[in-house]
Amino acid sequence: MTATWLCLFGAVVGMLSGVLGIGGGIVLVPGLMLLFEFNQREAQGTSLAVLSMPVAIAAAVVYYRNGYVHLPVMAYLAGGFVVGAFGGANLVPYVPVHVLRPMFGLLLLYVGFLFVLDLQSGRPAAALPALLATMLAALLARLLHRRMKPHALPAPPSAETEYHI
């Protein structure tokens, strides 16, 4: 059953990737964590492995045929991406998960606010409202997290501890 769900999830992520040009980090990583109980590092590694395979070639060919791919730009980006991904992947074992998760979430919030606020200007100052909204959302999430901390569960029954209903 898990293979079926993974294939269906992969098809949905592939569809989003083909339509919107996104999927790896924005949908695949959180989906693997929330739906399939992967940890952060497993989800990121699996996402990179999926995207490293030629699965995106079919969509890229369609975009190319329609004149939406700039080959020189793609080549430069791919070269930089290879170097950056290798360096970043080597840093992952040294970054604690409690730092990695908020970094990932803040990046998603920031990019989301850029799109929601429709900031298409090429000026760097145009990104300031999205940055402020991200910081405000992060502060609010932190405050809510502190108020809503789950209570510690009691110790499981053992030879020394007994519970009666």
Side-chain angles (χ1 to χ4, degrees):
M1 186 62 130
T2 303
T4 302
W5 286 113
L6 284 167
C7 285
L8 286 172
F9 180 62
V12 169
V13 173
M15 179 73 78
L16 287 172
S17 182
V19 171
L20 301 175
I22 62 166
I26 294 176
V27 179
L28 191 57
V29 171
L32 289 173
M33 292 172 64
L34 297 172
L35 301 174
F36 299 99
E37 299 179 358
F38 280 47
N39 68 41
Q40 179 88 25
R41 291 179 175 126
E42 291 169 338
Q44 289 175 187
T46 302
S47 174
L48 286 170
V50 167
L51 297 173
S52 298
M53 297 171 61
V55 295
I57 289 177
V61 166
V62 173
Y63 275 85
Y64 177 76
R65 285 183 184 156
N66 288 297
Y68 299 128
V69 176
H70 299 276
L71 289 178
V73 173
M74 184 272 312
Y76 292 129
L77 285 172
F81 195 91
V82 167
V83 172
F86 181 76
N90 280 306
L91 290 176
V92 167
Y94 304 105
V95 179
V97 173
H98 72 274
V99 172
L100 200 57
R101 286 185 64 122
M103 285 173 52
F104 183 79
L106 287 172
L107 177 62
L108 291 179
L109 271 175
Y110 177 69
V111 171
F113 279 124
L114 282 174
F115 279 85
V116 168
L117 298 174
D118 199 22
L119 301 173
Q120 296 179 351
S121 169
R123 298 184 345 243
L128 185 60
L131 179 61
L132 293 174
T134 301
M135 291 171 63
L136 182 63
L139 180 62
L140 181 62
R142 184 74 173 156
L143 292 173
L144 287 174
H145 177 71
R146 285 187 180 174
R147 291 190 137 222
M148 299 171 64
K149 277 212 172 182
H151 298 287
L153 296 174
S158 65
E160 295 84 29
T161 309
E162 236 177 70
Y163 295 103
H164 299 279
I165 299 175

